[in-house]
Amino acid sequence: MSAIATLKRTVPVAAAVLALSVASAFAQEKKEQHPTSEAEIKYQAGGSPLAAVDMYQDINPKAPPMTKAEFDKARQIYFERCAGCHGVLRKGATGKPLTPNITLERGTEYLKVFIKYGSPAGMPNWGTSGDLSDAEVDLMARYVQQTPPTPPEFGMAEMKATWKVIVPPDKRPTKKMNKYNLDNIFSTTLRDTGEVMLIDGDTKKVINIVKTGYAVHISRTSASGRYLLVIGRDAKINMIDLWMEKPDNVAEIRTGLEARSVETSKFKGYEDKYAIAGSYWPPQFVIMKGDTLEPLKIVATRGMTVDTQEYHPEPRVAAIVASHFKPEFVVNVKETGKILMVNYKDIDNLQMTEIPTARFLHDGGWDSTHRYVLMAANQSNKIAIVDAKEGKKVAIVEVDKIPHPGRGANFVHPKCGPVWATGHLGSEKIAFIGTDPVKNKQHAWKVCEMVDGQGGGNLFIKTHPKSTNLWVDTPLNPDPKVHRSIAVFNIKDLKAGFKVLPIFEWAGIKGEAAGRVVQPEYNKAGDEVWFSIWSAKNQESAIVVVDDKTLKLKTVIRDPKLITPTGHFNLYNTQHDVY
């Protein structure tokens, strides 16, 4: 046998052996290991706006050489695919640290196999999946041995440089100037165009398409119902005045370089007085004036983790909700695992209660009484529960793999009484947690039941006080039959299982389309459920409206400008935390 033939046979074997050793070296403890699903990869590896931010290249003499062009290309790949798990500074988040003291010791060839083949601890197989070419794998193996570039900070001066009051408060309408039913408007994110589409829920007609930041993550209605605040992943906030003849922007600001959350003050006497936004980078939140978005106070979230008590340099701010019991914002600090109760009564002498829960806090919402807030620590597979009235941790509840409730869903369970529900990104399970410590004490703060949905890849779960249905989406499931449909349960008979409704088929979309069905959302009356059909920006998308009682198609909303619709929010339900 020739030397070349021998090499051809032995190199794949050697690579496979090396892949196993690399996977073992980088794996977490055995009890934590699990195969990485396609749904998790899509969720964790979402692109970051930091991919386009210029950063300083610190040439490390011990690292493999890289040109400036190579460094910039690798940096872009890292922020588009890797930063969500390993962190902006590569110090580790849901993924392991990739700092030079670790990566230089491993070496380029070792890292190439790790990146190409992945690991059982959760590292995707970027090379064998076809997401990265061999040349890009080599590029990334060299990049992670360099000194991590640090994005610029974003303080008061930078915020004020982006702050615009388009229509000052004294120039705005003194009364509602349109005939829209503001309680039944839907704000729909047009992810890839950097816009939100305002749709009249009564007539199903488009009211306006408003320019915003990129990939709006959430829409929040102010306490009075007059203003709509939206925040893009690029940390741009837009304030829309719903009283205008055609609702449109009246103020805007950027509060960082990457963000996910915005909220307004809701406690009696403070309605619309303040707004708050949290950033992924820099790790901080800012309190602003509620009518102009003028930044008033910035608070950093860098600090110690709740478990190992180690310093973390980039604890990202995830979900924020406004308390109904005190003048407080409830702020999730992701990597350190802390829930902050931020009292805005006197922001010059700001008081915060720090509640230790579990790491990787992400999203969540209120129970039906609005007293208890339930937050998913997604990569820890836990739900943290806090009593907003007492300002204390109530419980940490173990659920299944990667809970992702959105705001969750509240209803009265046949056996357990009032419950709050979450689906899971990493499994088909749906967990019901008891929330009544008075009349149903034996079920309170426990998983009282867990049922199976269609599969993993769930992002949102929803019901309504006037409904007997529970809707569970699966937009990140790799099976088109699953991500193009919706599962609906009868909450009075959960053991009967779910019905599957062919939402994508009902949309009547012709031609190729991804057709991911995402975020069930009720109208104010609770008799309609809206779904986004999320396709690529060069494919047709739609919104499908279903009758909640008959489970029949009611209407399909089409528009050439309905490009990549994802989240959509009914303004009344958002204003009053109805879910």
Side-chain angles (χ1 to χ4, degrees):
M1 184 180 293
S2 69
I4 293 176
T6 302
L7 186 63
K8 286 181 177 178
R9 292 187 64 181
T10 58
V11 165
V13 175
V17 172
L18 184 56
L20 289 174
S21 67
V22 171
S24 176
F26 274 83
Q28 300 178 29
E29 295 180 7
K30 188 174 181 181
K31 66 180 181 179
E32 296 180 44
Q33 293 185 4
H34 58 268
T36 306
S37 68
E38 183 178 328
E40 290 173 76
I41 293 172
K42 287 181 179 294
Y43 177 71
Q44 299 287 5
S48 162
L50 291 170
V53 176
D54 193 29
M55 299 180 201
Y56 174 69
Q57 180 183 358
D58 181 6
I59 299 172
N60 187 337
K62 296 181 180 181
M66 295 190 81
T67 66
K68 179 68 163 62
E70 286 181 320
F71 182 87
D72 286 342
K73 181 179 179 181
R75 176 179 56 77
Q76 183 177 2
I77 292 173
Y78 181 82
F79 282 103
E80 286 177 346
R81 298 183 182 274
C82 314
C85 277
H86 297 287
V88 169
L89 304 177
R90 304 210 310 261
K91 297 278 190 179
T94 54
K96 290 291 186 179
L98 292 175
T99 45
N101 63 310
I102 298 170
T103 55
L104 282 169
E105 183 181 334
R106 307 297 190 211
T108 301
E109 292 305 314
Y110 193 94
L111 292 166
K112 282 167 64 175
V113 177
F114 178 62
I115 295 168
K116 183 170 183 173
Y117 291 94
S119 87
M123 174 71 175
N125 56 324
W126 292 113
T128 55
S129 68
D131 288 289
L132 297 179
S133 67
D134 284 346
E136 289 172 329
V137 167
D138 176 77
L139 186 71
M140 297 310 295
R142 288 183 286 135
Y143 174 78
V144 296
Q145 296 175 74
Q146 312 293 323
T147 302
T150 303
E153 297 294 323
F154 209 89
M156 187 62 75
E158 289 80 8
M159 288 187 197
K160 286 197 171 181
T162 70
W163 173 48
K164 297 178 184 176
V165 179
I166 300 162
V167 182
D170 61 354
K171 302 294 184 184
R172 296 174 196 168
T174 56
K175 62 180 181 180
K176 189 163 81 81
M177 301 299 291
N178 58 63
K179 295 182 179 180
Y180 299 118
N181 175 9
L182 300 187
D183 284 347
N184 205 33
I185 289 176
F186 286 76
S187 174
T188 298
T189 296
L190 306 183
R191 186 185 188 279
D192 293 335
T193 64
E195 298 169 318
V196 293
M197 178 180 281
L198 302 181
I199 304 174
D200 187 328
D202 294 343
T203 66
K204 314 298 188 289
K205 301 296 184 183
V206 176
I207 295 170
N208 197 14
I209 297 176
V210 182
K211 281 291 180 185
T212 63
Y214 168 71
V216 162
H217 192 70
I218 196 166
S219 297
R220 300 298 289 165
T221 317
S222 70
S224 70
R226 173 169 184 174
Y227 294 110
L228 173 67
L229 279 76
V230 302
I231 188 165
R233 287 183 177 235
D234 57 0
K236 184 178 181 181
I237 302 171
N238 290 81
M239 173 183 279
I240 298 166
D241 187 352
L242 299 168
W243 280 12
M244 296 171 70
E245 187 174 349
K246 180 180 282 189
D248 209 337
N249 285 319
V250 292
E252 64 180 44
I253 191 173
R254 282 193 74 184
T255 58
L257 298 173
E258 184 172 3
R260 295 293 187 277
S261 52
V262 68
E263 180 61 290
T264 67
S265 52
K266 290 187 174 179
F267 189 66
K268 187 175 181 180
Y270 294 88
E271 296 91 341
D272 295 17
K273 184 173 183 178
Y274 294 116
I276 184 174
S279 297
Y280 268 28
W281 188 268
Q284 61 192 30
F285 63 85
V286 58
I287 298 174
M288 301 161 283
K289 282 188 177 179
D291 58 351
T292 64
L293 300 183
E294 179 184 356
L296 300 173
K297 192 176 192 70
I298 304 170
V299 179
T301 54
R302 294 175 171 102
M304 315 308 284
T305 61
V306 296
D307 44 12
T308 58
Q309 297 287 297
E310 293 176 290
Y311 177 75
H312 201 292
E314 53 168 310
R316 298 173 286 183
V317 177
I320 302 175
V321 295
S323 173
H324 299 262
F325 278 87
K326 296 178 184 178
E328 289 182 336
F329 294 118
V330 184
V331 177
N332 280 0
V333 185
K334 195 177 183 85
E335 276 70 29
T336 53
K338 297 173 182 177
I339 292 178
L340 304 179
M341 311 296 285
V342 181
N343 193 301
Y344 50 77
K345 184 176 182 180
D346 180 2
I347 66 168
D348 289 331
N349 301 284
L350 192 68
Q351 295 185 7
M352 294 191 297
T353 301
E354 179 183 292
I355 300 175
T357 57
R359 293 184 69 184
F360 313 120
L361 290 163
H362 191 63
D363 57 352
W366 298 103
D367 80 311
S368 59
T369 68
H370 294 162
R371 172 172 175 172
Y372 301 98
V373 66
L374 297 94
M375 294 294 189
N378 55 15
Q379 210 68 29
S380 295
N381 304 330
K382 295 177 172 67
I383 302 294
I385 305 170
V386 168
D387 182 344
K389 184 177 181 180
E390 299 295 331
K392 294 181 179 179
K393 177 172 62 180
V394 172
I396 304 289
V397 181
E398 292 274 353
V399 285
D400 212 65
K401 186 178 171 186
I402 314 181
H404 193 287
R407 293 300 189 210
N410 291 295
F411 64 93
V412 178
H413 188 278
K415 180 184 77 173
C416 308
V419 298
W420 178 89
T422 181
H424 295 81
L425 180 72
S427 84
E428 75 284 0
K429 300 297 182 182
I430 302 161
F432 306 114
I433 298 172
T435 60
D436 179 9
V438 179
K439 295 181 180 179
N440 292 274
K441 188 176 181 179
Q442 70 275 28
H443 299 298
W445 320 131
K446 301 172 186 174
V447 175
C448 72
E449 186 177 6
M450 202 175 278
V451 300
D452 290 349
Q454 284 202 86
N458 165 247
L459 289 182
F460 297 99
I461 186 169
K462 193 62 66 81
T463 188
H464 189 277
K466 296 181 180 178
S467 174
T468 59
N469 293 322
L470 178 70
W471 304 83
V472 185
D473 71 10
T474 40
L476 295 187
N477 193 287
D479 185 346
K481 289 182 180 179
V482 177
H483 70 234
R484 288 181 168 187
S485 60
I486 196 79
V488 55
F489 290 81
N490 180 345
I491 59 179
K492 294 184 177 180
D493 188 11
L494 293 165
K495 293 188 184 302
F498 55 85
K499 295 180 180 178
V500 177
L501 302 187
I503 303 297
F504 175 78
E505 181 184 318
W506 286 351
I509 292 174
K510 306 298 182 184
E512 184 180 354
R516 298 180 185 276
V517 176
V518 63
Q519 193 161 343
E521 180 77 357
Y522 276 88
N523 62 346
K524 181 194 175 184
D527 57 11
E528 291 179 355
V529 190
W530 292 39
F531 303 91
S532 285
I533 306 292
W534 173 21
S535 299
K537 61 183 178 182
N538 60 345
Q539 299 172 339
E540 186 180 358
S541 293
I543 290 175
V544 172
V545 182
V546 175
D547 187 296
D548 182 68
K549 292 196 168 41
T550 65
L551 307 186
K552 303 290 186 183
L553 173 66
K554 196 163 185 179
T555 189
V556 178
I557 300 173
R558 287 189 176 86
D559 192 294
K561 295 181 180 179
L562 192 63
I563 299 170
T564 58
T566 50
H568 46 263
F569 303 85
N570 175 270
L571 300 195
Y572 179 88
N573 293 338
T574 300
Q575 177 187 356
H576 297 280
D577 292 314
V578 177
Y579 35 81

